[in-house]
Amino acid sequence: PIKFATRQHEILFLLSIGLSQSNAAQILNISRGALASVVNNVLCPKFGIAGSSTKILVDKAIAMNYDKFIPKSLCKPFIIILDPNILDKYFNEFSSD
């Protein structure tokens, strides 16, 4: 297996599940140029890809099952509130309390 820094793994995963560079950059809160730089200068060389082909990178990543490993940094817990009374009482920013 290839070793990745956290940000490299995030980028590789997001691209390998079908997101565009622009969408992945937006999710990671980085510029598309910064993401493209990681793809061109780090990820493609790690996969032995001459040049900077995101398509070839994604194809190789999927073939190696990197699309199956979600980076921990992208796993965010959340709460689903079904009772509107709880929502209003505890989470309403505009409450008059």
Side-chain angles (χ1 to χ4, degrees):
I2 301 170
K3 300 275 185 189
F4 301 106
T6 301
R7 183 50 51 113
Q8 295 165 9
H9 187 196
E10 292 168 344
I11 291 169
L12 184 63
F13 175 76
L14 292 173
L15 294 176
S16 69
I17 62 167
L19 271 66
S20 67
Q21 285 190 4
S22 296
N23 288 342
Q26 186 176 21
I27 288 169
L28 298 173
N29 200 30
I30 60 175
S31 71
R32 192 207 151 276
L35 186 138
S37 178
V38 171
V39 168
N40 299 340
N41 300 322
V42 181
L43 293 175
C44 282
K46 283 189 177 193
F47 280 86
I49 299 167
S52 59
S53 173
T54 302
K55 168 101 173 82
I56 294 171
L57 173 67
V58 167
D59 290 345
K60 283 190 171 193
I62 291 171
M64 297 172 75
N65 291 318
Y66 284 111
D67 59 322
K68 307 283 190 260
F69 300 100
I70 302 171
K72 287 183 182 181
S73 55
L74 293 180
C75 298
K76 311 272 190 226
F78 62 92
I79 298 171
I80 298 173
I81 300 171
L82 300 175
D83 183 339
N85 294 323
I86 291 173
L87 183 64
D88 289 341
K89 184 174 181 180
Y90 295 104
F91 296 100
N92 190 345
E93 293 179 28
F94 306 105
S95 72
S96 58
D97 294 339

